[in-house]
């Protein structure tokens, strides 16, 4: 295939623009489309997820050709992006919060080997506890990674900064990756009147061709990227990185001026508002700065010479400009949306203070305040309170409280999350029906003696009703069935996902048993630690003798993507615990993005259906078979429609967890909201998934496979299309023109089913 020669960069003159009404995420996606990145590696996380969603939608409509690679987690996404940059093209990623932290160790790898790319960060509070709203605690973790960091205070700035950042990043004397950070929800989701360049070519001409550099894709000129490097080269490498930051700082004014000529918009590294004669100032970043500016105007009307300092770039840190701006200021409040716990001020406080230290004539009093964590709003009265603090210090000539948190209450440590009234902790007697008996049987299989399901109905639920799941959701009916098959005390760990989100909104909890949350990349490791602590404390006699706890991890299918490594690790170590996956075929609590368990062709918010894309591009993950390959004693699948089967499997899982090691099970559950079905249709759809053999119901005990429900001999097998036609997300697969995808799904289902049957028939397989 012929490759079109890159367009040369043209001289800048004001280019045609069109007005629109877009959010920060939309502007991020639009700029990415216009830049025409070669590749985007991504993993969904609120509030940045929409960026990949918008780009996928545009791709399905045939509006761009960016290769969109859905990663198995942000660490994977960062690796995909890094690898792609070593191939010499333009690369894009978007993330937030824990996503940035999960990829953190890759960031210095990339800056240290000097491969530029663009990462959009819709900022969000770092967990834990988990909070999806915006602060700057995530971007602060990137301060030491060697990435350029631009701050964008509104949707327009997101677009503009993306173009400016990439120009700086790709300069031959810089060659550093860049982050453009904007406030989660406030900027990422709120729409504003904005302008974008009318022609994509304006953007591409502004950037020019991808600069020639080291590439791993030129076999005639082989290169060694990332050699093992020791003293003295490593320190020299870092010194060069520091010089690259200097080069970026030096290049910024020229690039900003060029961009102003092209767009009419100017972004100085530090936004100085009415600072010329200011005697008091507030230093805040991003959207809060706009609020502070309004308040500065009001104070000026009252005769107070107030000003606002707000950096648009924090790496490289514009120390000199800030130093100059504060020279005549009597007091400044340095407001930061992040803590640096134990450091007596967050990071930029110390950077501003150290900038001032280099000016022997500076007498500015500095007050440092952490504000707005976890998305706590910053209103005009808050900005005014900051100015009043500065005024007070200026008037009395001293800083009484140099560092504090703003807008907090001490809280009451005696108030843990509450169960709803009338739902005390379960007693062991209540949790034990006494009706279930499991013992070793013949042929290496356990024998379960269980009553019919209805007899267990009297057993109290471990998860209380009244949680926030959607109407018709299959999650809790199936979980409840499973948990009824478990006798005695249970401790649960829920990974991040719908089941966690809808049951534990602080200060309430729906759990009647002890519950631990960890993010879904690491729940299995966390629970394995708890299991071992239980065993050790029992051994030391620190817990009451006879204490007997079954440990159950509840995870979504997405948790078995990003958390696969942790799950496999726990399984290989064979801890006595149950990993229970509820599979709703996507990342549902974050808005229905594809997971690796989403089947081929299914429509999600990152696998759209359109002229250029037909849903998810690859087959669903066979997680039970992967877990079986770890040789754990018990693996099973199940559905709510076969309660006796599911309860027997729960009882077996408990026995294996107690006596032999890890048990893993996958339950297919309906998600009416994102499967786009009637609320009541779940049981029928799941039954069709089972009867079409898409979701076989089976168990693997001690490595031997047993199909526990076979639709074929009883004449219930249905074509895969009969299942797919029941859901809004798959109806397109049954329409003329899409036969190839339907055939591919049928073939894969058949291949897996035949292999399973062979295993069922031959214990050695
Ligand atoms: C490191 C990290 N990346 C991404 C997220 C965002 N996130 C939380 S839950 C979730 C999807 C969970 O999917 P699944 O496990 O299938 O559960 P479901 O929502 O479908 O119940 C995502 C993407 C996060 N919290 N942390
Ligand atoms: S999004 Fe789906 S899985 Fe999540 S609560 Fe709603 S119906 Fe249930
Ligand atoms: Mg899911």
């Amino acid at each position: 295939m012929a490759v079109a020669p890159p367009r040369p960069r043209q001289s800048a003159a004001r280019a045609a623009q069109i007005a629109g009404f877009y959010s920060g995420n939309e502007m991020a996606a639009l700029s990415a489309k216009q830049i025409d990145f070669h590749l985007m590696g991504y993993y969904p996380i609120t509030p940045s997820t929409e960026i990949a969603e918008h780009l996928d939608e545009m791709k399905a409509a045939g509006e761009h050709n960016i290769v969109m690679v859905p990663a198995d987690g942000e660490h994977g996404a960062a690796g995909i992006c890094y690898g792609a940059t070593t191939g010499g093209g333009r690369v894009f990623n978007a993330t937030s919060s824990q996503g940035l932290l999960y990829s953190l160790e890759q960031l210095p790898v990339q800056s240290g080997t000097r491969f530029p790319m663009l990462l959009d960060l819709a900022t969000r509070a770092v967990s834990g506890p988990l909070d999806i709203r915006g602060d700057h605690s995530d971007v602060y973790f990137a301060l030491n990674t060697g990435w350029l960091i631009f701050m964008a205070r509104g949707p327009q700035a997101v677009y503009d900064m993306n173009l400016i950042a990439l120009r700086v990043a790709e300069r031959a004397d810089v060659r550093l990756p860049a982050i453009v950070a904007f406030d989660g929800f406030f900027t990422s989701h709120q729409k504003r009147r904005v302008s974008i360049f009318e022609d994509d070519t304006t953007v591409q001409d502004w950037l020019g061709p991808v600069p020639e550099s080291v590439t791993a894709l030129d076999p005639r000129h082989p290169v060694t990227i990332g050699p093992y490097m020791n003293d003295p080269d490593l320190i020299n490498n870092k010194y060069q990185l520091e010089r690259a930051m200097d080069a970026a700082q030096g290049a910024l004014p020229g690039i900003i001026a060029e961009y102003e000529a092209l767009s009419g918009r100017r972004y100085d590294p530090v936004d100085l508002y009415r600072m010329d004669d200011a005697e008091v100032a507030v230093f805040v970043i991003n959207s809060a700065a706009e609020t502070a500016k309004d308040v500065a105007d009001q104070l000026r009307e009252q005769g107070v010479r107030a000003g606002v300092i707000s950096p648009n770039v924090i790496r490289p840190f514009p120390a000199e400009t800030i130093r100059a701006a504060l020279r005549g200021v009597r007091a400044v409040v340095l407001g930061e949306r992040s803590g640096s716990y134990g450091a007596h001020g967050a990071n930029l406080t110390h950077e501003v203070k150290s900038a001032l230290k280099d000016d022997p004539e500076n007498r500015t009093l500095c007050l440092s305040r952490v504000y707005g964590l976890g998305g706590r709003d910053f209103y005009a009265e808050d900005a005014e309170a900051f100015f009043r603090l500065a005024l007070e210090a200026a008037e009395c000539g001293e800083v009484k409280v140099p560092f504090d948190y703003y807008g907090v209450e001490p809280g009451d440590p005696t108030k843990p999350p509450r169960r709803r009234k009338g739902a005390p902790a379960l007693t062991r007697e209540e949790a034990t029906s006494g009706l279930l008996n499991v013992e070793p049987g013949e042929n290496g299989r356990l024998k379960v003696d269980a009553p019919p399901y209805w007899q267990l109905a009297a057993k109290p639920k471990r998860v209380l009703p009244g949680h926030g799941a959607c109407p018709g959701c299959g999650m809790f009916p199936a979980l409840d069935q499973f948990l009824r098959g478990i006798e005695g005390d249970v401790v649960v760990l829920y990974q991040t996902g719908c089941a966690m989100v809808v049951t534990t909104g602080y200060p309430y909890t729906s759990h009647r048993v002890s519950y631990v949350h960890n993010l879904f990349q690491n729940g299995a490791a966390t629970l394995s630690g708890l299991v071992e602590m239980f065993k050790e404390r029992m051994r030391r006699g620190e817990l009451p003798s006879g204490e007997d706890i079954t440990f159950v991890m509840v995870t979504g299918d997405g948790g078995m993507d990003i958390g696969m490594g942790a799950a496999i690790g726990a399984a290989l170590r064979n801890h006595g615990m149950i990993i229970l996956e509820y599979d709703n075929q996507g990342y549902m609590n974050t808005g229905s993005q594809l997971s690796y368990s989403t089947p081929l062709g299914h429509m999600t918010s990152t696998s759209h259906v359109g002229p250029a894309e037909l849903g998810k591009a690859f087959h669903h993950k066979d997680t039970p078979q992967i877990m079986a390959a770890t040789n754990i004693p018990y693996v099973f699948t199940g559905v709510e429609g076969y309660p006796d089967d599911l309860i027997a499997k729960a009882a077996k899982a408990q026995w294996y967890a107690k006596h032999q090691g890890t048990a893993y099970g996958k339950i297919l559950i309906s998600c009416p909201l994102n499967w786009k079905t009637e609320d009541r249709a779940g049981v029928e759809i799941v039954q069709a998934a089972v009867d079409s053999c898409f979701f076989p119901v089976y168990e693997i005990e001690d490595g031997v496979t047993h199909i526990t429900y076979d639709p074929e001999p009883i004449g219930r097998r249905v074509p895969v299309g009969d299942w797919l036609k029941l859901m809004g997300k798959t109806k397109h697969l049954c329409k003329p023109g899409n036969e190839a995808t339907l055939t591919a799904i049928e073939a894969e289902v058949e291949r897996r089913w035949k292999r399973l049957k062979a295993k069922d028939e031959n214990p050695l397989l």
Side-chain angles (χ1 to χ4, degrees):
M1 193 176 67
V3 178
R7 263 180 300 276
R9 184 179 296 154
Q10 289 172 357
S11 63
R14 187 68 59 86
Q17 298 182 54
I18 43 175
F21 197 59
Y22 294 119
S23 69
N25 281 345
E26 286 167 333
M27 289 296 265
L30 279 168
S31 59
K33 176 241 168 194
Q34 291 194 309
I35 289 168
D36 192 27
F37 283 102
H38 290 75
L39 180 143
M40 177 180 193
Y42 69 95
Y43 190 78
I45 180 162
T46 308
S48 64
T49 312
E50 284 182 349
I51 300 171
E53 291 177 345
H54 292 316
L55 278 167
D56 185 74
E57 194 172 3
M58 287 188 238
K59 178 147 189 186
E63 291 171 17
H64 68 79
N65 287 313
I66 303 169
V67 177
M68 304 283 296
V69 186
D72 53 339
E74 290 85 355
H75 191 243
I80 289 163
C81 290
Y82 178 51
T85 58
T86 66
R90 283 200 169 113
V91 176
F92 183 50
N93 189 357
T95 192
S96 300
S97 179
Q98 235 66 16
L100 183 77
L101 266 64
Y102 196 41
S103 53
L104 200 66
E105 68 87 21
Q106 286 291 292
L107 269 50
V109 172
Q110 184 146 355
S111 58
T113 49
R114 308 285 293 279
F115 285 96
M117 64 166 279
L118 181 65
L119 169 64
D120 275 358
L121 182 74
T123 61
R124 162 180 154 182
V126 160
S127 195
L130 189 142
D131 180 331
I132 61 167
R133 289 165 304 159
D135 65 27
H136 296 155
S137 51
D138 50 5
V139 67
Y140 271 49
F141 274 93
L143 287 170
N144 287 336
T145 55
W147 286 50
L148 305 166
I149 304 179
F150 294 75
M151 305 300 293
R153 68 191 56 200
Q156 183 68 62
V158 173
Y159 178 89
D160 295 330
M161 288 292 197
N162 274 356
L163 307 192
I164 293 171
L166 204 53
R167 259 295 283 280
V168 179
E170 288 182 347
R171 279 179 60 99
D173 55 353
V174 176
R175 292 198 55 78
L176 287 176
I179 290 172
V180 171
F182 45 96
D183 291 353
F185 290 108
F186 193 90
T187 298
S188 64
H189 281 64
Q190 286 189 27
K191 288 181 191 272
R192 295 275 186 275
R193 181 157 294 282
V194 288
S195 298
I196 63 168
F197 294 113
E198 192 169 348
D199 288 324
D200 294 2
T201 52
T202 305
V203 171
Q204 289 157 25
D205 291 345
W206 152 263
L207 289 170
V210 184
E212 289 284 322
S213 183
V214 171
T215 167
L217 298 180
D218 182 356
R220 297 285 66 76
H221 299 92
V223 288
T224 299
I225 297 171
Y228 167 53
M229 189 183 276
N230 266 336
D231 171 66
D233 302 304
L234 199 272
I235 193 168
N236 293 336
N237 166 287
K238 298 307 163 206
Y239 175 71
Q240 287 166 12
L241 202 160
E242 203 77 57
R243 297 287 71 82
M245 282 282 175
D246 293 344
Q249 199 143 38
L252 264 166
I255 290 176
I256 287 164
E258 253 191 75
Y259 193 73
E260 186 184 12
L262 186 73
S263 68
R265 292 180 293 277
R266 185 176 179 85
Y267 296 90
D268 287 317
V270 188
D271 185 69
L272 299 175
Y273 188 73
R274 306 189 83 165
M275 285 299 297
D276 286 347
D277 62 344
E279 55 178 350
V280 286
V282 164
F283 170 104
V284 276
I285 300 182
N286 271 6
S287 56
E290 300 307 304
T291 312
K293 284 180 186 177
D294 292 342
V295 174
D297 288 343
Q298 290 160 16
L299 289 172
R300 284 210 170 236
E301 279 168 23
Q302 297 164 25
V304 178
R305 296 211 310 270
V308 179
I309 307 183
S310 175
N312 285 319
V313 182
I314 55 173
R315 282 294 179 270
F317 189 66
E320 213 172 300
T321 316
I322 290 173
R323 189 182 306 133
L326 285 173
R327 195 149 222 218
V329 172
R330 292 169 64 198
V332 61
V333 170
L334 304 161
E336 297 188 72
R337 267 198 149 118
S338 176
S340 176
Y341 312 102
H344 312 288
N347 303 61
L348 297 191
T349 286
H350 298 301
E351 297 193 16
V352 172
K353 282 184 175 174
S354 89
L356 298 185
K357 193 88 182 146
D358 289 343
D359 178 358
E361 282 165 37
N362 184 282
R363 297 285 175 272
T364 309
L365 299 170
C366 294
L367 296 90
S368 172
R369 293 293 180 271
V370 170
Y371 75 99
L373 297 191
R376 190 160 189 160
D377 287 318
F378 185 74
Y379 295 115
E381 52 266 33
D382 303 314
E384 189 175 341
F386 277 12
F387 278 115
R388 298 267 167 231
L389 278 172
L391 274 170
E392 198 185 299
E395 275 159 23
C396 70
E398 64 166 324
V399 175
K400 290 191 182 126
V401 184
F403 167 63
D404 205 353
Y405 273 54
Y406 170 79
V408 289
E409 302 106 43
D412 184 350
T414 64
K415 284 190 181 159
R418 298 193 289 275
R419 280 183 299 276
R420 286 186 309 106
K421 275 194 188 134
L426 276 184
T427 63
R428 189 177 298 162
E429 292 65 37
E430 284 173 318
T432 313
S433 72
L435 300 171
L436 284 149
N437 187 43
V438 186
E439 56 190 47
E442 288 165 16
N443 309 325
R445 290 183 86 179
L446 292 180
K447 193 167 150 304
V448 180
D449 197 5
Y453 174 55
W454 62 266
Q455 279 191 31
L456 289 171
K459 198 168 168 179
K461 289 174 188 284
R462 290 185 172 94
V463 180
L464 293 164
H467 47 68
C470 310
C473 175
M475 190 164 51
F476 288 106
L479 277 181
D480 182 53
Q481 254 182 29
F482 179 82
L483 289 173
R484 274 168 204 278
I486 302 222
E487 295 275 75
D489 289 329
V490 169
V491 168
V492 289
L493 181 144
Y494 279 45
Q495 300 210 108
T496 325
C498 276
M500 168 259 169
V501 170
V502 304
T503 55
T504 61
Y506 186 82
Y508 298 105
T509 179
S510 303
H511 297 279
R512 291 186 76 183
V513 299
S514 282
Y515 160 103
V516 181
H517 164 250
N518 198 357
L519 292 136
F520 63 159
Q521 57 274 29
N522 220 11
T526 310
L527 193 62
S528 72
L530 186 57
V531 167
E532 295 310 314
M533 180 54 79
F534 172 67
K535 278 167 44 183
E536 181 57 13
R537 292 199 66 198
M538 287 297 289
R539 190 187 68 79
R540 294 185 187 202
E542 293 173 359
L543 296 175
S545 78
E547 197 71 86
D548 189 8
I549 299 175
T550 301
F551 295 88
V552 183
M553 174 175 116
V554 175
T555 174
D557 48 303
M560 292 302 285
D561 289 342
I562 193 169
M564 191 85 226
I568 287 182
L572 291 172
R573 295 189 301 270
N574 203 23
H575 301 279
M577 61 193 242
I578 302 170
I579 298 176
L580 181 65
E581 172 189 344
Y582 63 90
D583 178 5
N584 50 19
Q585 303 186 328
Y587 299 158
M588 296 320 191
N589 84 96
T590 43
S592 184
Q593 296 81 32
L594 72 84
S595 76
Y596 289 178
S597 290
T598 306
L600 179 76
H602 286 223
M603 182 176 69
T604 69
S605 60
T606 47
S607 59
H608 284 87
V609 175
E613 193 172 284
L614 197 67
K616 191 183 165 220
F618 54 99
H619 284 295
H620 59 290
K621 181 173 184 173
D622 202 342
T623 316
Q625 292 295 319
I626 296 173
M627 293 305 288
T630 64
N631 295 315
I632 50 177
Y634 191 53
V635 171
F636 71 89
T637 65
V639 291
E640 183 198 344
Y642 293 91
D644 295 332
D645 176 74
L646 193 53
I647 280 170
K649 286 172 177 169
K652 284 189 181 184
Q654 181 175 31
W655 189 94
Y656 280 114
K658 276 191 185 168
H659 297 95
Q660 291 194 3
T662 310
Y664 160 84
K666 184 184 189 79
I667 311 177
L668 182 67
I669 64 115
S670 63
C671 171
L673 181 72
N674 296 315
W675 290 7
K676 303 190 192 319
T677 64
E678 295 287 325
D679 292 351
R680 292 169 182 279
V683 174
E684 182 198 353
I685 295 167
V686 169
Q687 184 68 51
V690 170
D691 284 337
S692 65
C693 296
F694 163 79
F695 191 83
V697 177
Y698 65 99
E699 63 187 359
I700 306 171
E701 272 187 86
D702 266 334
V704 181
T705 302
H706 307 279
I707 292 173
T708 53
Y709 170 80
D710 185 346
E712 286 181 331
I714 53 174
R716 290 200 58 164
R717 179 140 192 209
V718 297
V720 169
D722 282 12
W723 160 56
L724 296 175
K725 72 182 181 199
L726 300 175
M727 296 174 286
K729 68 164 179 163
T730 42
K731 271 190 179 143
H732 58 281
L733 294 171
C734 303
K735 289 191 180 146
N738 296 338
E739 292 81 1
T741 307
L742 181 59
T743 309
I745 303 172
E746 284 169 346
E748 183 63 11
V749 165
E750 193 57 20
R751 189 184 70 80
R752 292 190 194 181
W753 173 244
K754 285 213 171 102
R755 280 170 61 94
L756 199 69
K757 281 218 121 168
K759 287 182 180 184
D760 175 74
E761 284 155 17
N762 185 341
L764 292 177
L765 290 180

